Amino acid sequence: MTTVTEVGAPSPSPAPIRAEPRGDHRGSWIPSRGMVTTRCMELRRRRGLMIALIAVNIGIPVVFLGVRLISHAVDPKSYGPAGGYSIFTTLVTGFMYVFGFVVAAVVGCTAGSVDLTEGMFRHLVITGRSRLALYFARIPAGLAIVIAMVAVGYTIVCAVCVFAAPTQLNYDGVNVPVGLSQPALDSWAAAHADEVICDFNFHGGAGLNGPPPNVTCGGQSIGPPPGTVIQTKGGGTFTVPAAESPAQIRAFAVTVANQDYADYHSNFLVPSTTLMVEVGLWIALEATIGFMVGLGLSSLMGQRTVAVILLIVLELILTPIFSRHVISHLLNVQRGIVGVAMAHIEPGGLPTPFSGGGGGGPGANPLIPESTLASSLVIVGWIVFWTAIGAWRMRTRDA
């Protein structure tokens, strides 16, 4: 039997195919790769900022070392080698450390305020992206640029300081063999007594209570002439002998060498590989702190200029003052400054960055007391605090 379907009756519709739900990650606080790439591109397109970053981290060290290389090549007797340990410490602590922080802070302040100053913040919010993701995307984007510039400049400095280093150690104007033990330095000083007495720095103390021997330095004799009566600190008198014996002169030179051995032992022809790695990580951490603090502060304030000025004042004025002068009622506040904490975790073998390149010589104020653990906690606290402040302000700001 044939069944005839009624004309006009609706045909049964197929069962709807249920589509698999697609996850929408726009509400996630974790930034996507595209967001980070976009932020990095926005910073790189700011030509003035990139020129300043390249000029400070790469250009100035290259010019300084280039002038030294040319000068030494033209007149090696008048100009010393371009590299070496002393040039390395001078560039690192006197320039790259301080100005690396400043330039990184400028990049951070730019990254934290560019959306507001250019009126793009509202357009970013209406896309539905998480505000936290918008903030956190700036961190890897900015650090990728800052750390790369710092690494390039630091690599150039290390290369020149190693390959253009002097072949002989010049200590206090005297060419001295490198890496001598204390007995070996004493033997060398006894054999070069006149040079040691004339050029080495020495001060009173055990074995040096009397005046220096009357030796000839540069055609002139130093020390009082024989027969001179000298008034001592205790109220007595001391008569300079008619002539010092060679044994007395050698003994005086050995005593001077013993006084200067600690300072001599801290001088090298080239920085060691371990020191260069440690200093590189230390400078990179300083630049990271500068970027993170600048990012959070500018996000909190909503603009860049004042934030940059405040960070420059912190790094160039407040930190050097608070790092060496103990204020009894503000000691814990001084210890909480991130620059002071960074000075306390400085790799060994470097002069302190706020001593003007002179290191911790006699009369120099030491750093305020602070443990390594406390310094590490202060550094972590600054990074976490300013990251949290910047993210909070981004999340609560009106679009």
Side-chain angles (χ1 to χ4, degrees), residues 52 69 99 107 220 239 358 399:
L69 284 169
F99 288 95
V107 176
Q220 298 181 352
T239 303

Side-chain angles (χ1 to χ4, degrees), residues 188-358:
W188 182 90
H192 302 78
D194 290 357
E195 293 181 82
V196 172
I197 295 173
C198 291
D199 296 313
F200 276 29
N201 294 320
F202 60 89
H203 49 84
L208 296 178
N209 293 322
N214 193 0
V215 298
T216 302
C217 299
Q220 298 181 352
S221 61
I222 67 169
T228 304
V229 178
I230 299 175
Q231 188 77 23
T232 62
K233 294 182 179 179
T237 59
F238 174 82
T239 303
V240 178
E244 292 84 358
S245 65
Q248 290 175 318
I249 295 176
R250 288 195 298 269
F252 192 93
V254 168
T255 305
V256 172
N258 284 332
Q259 282 191 349
D260 288 0
Y261 179 73
D263 185 43
Y264 159 80
H265 190 62
S266 65
N267 286 269
F268 310 94
L269 289 179
V270 296
S272 64
T273 302
T274 302
L275 178 62
M276 289 189 290
V277 172
E278 291 177 352
V279 171
L281 296 175
W282 182 60
I283 291 179
L285 177 59
E286 176 75 357
T288 300
I289 294 172
F291 175 82
M292 298 298 291
V293 175
L295 180 65
L297 182 60
S298 63
S299 179
L300 176 66
M301 302 183 69
Q303 54 97 22
R304 179 179 63 174
T305 304
V306 176
V308 170
I309 293 174
L310 290 176
L311 291 179
I312 291 176
V313 170
L314 172 68
E315 183 70 5
L316 300 183
I317 300 177
L318 297 181
T319 300
I321 294 175
F322 288 152
S323 65
R324 292 188 174 276
H325 299 83
V326 176
I327 304 175
S328 57
H329 300 292
L330 296 177
L331 182 58
N332 289 330
V333 175
Q334 292 177 254
R335 290 170 174 167
I337 297 177
V338 68
V340 178
M342 284 294 295
H344 276 282
I345 66 168
E346 176 190 67
L350 291 179
T352 52
F354 308 116
S355 61

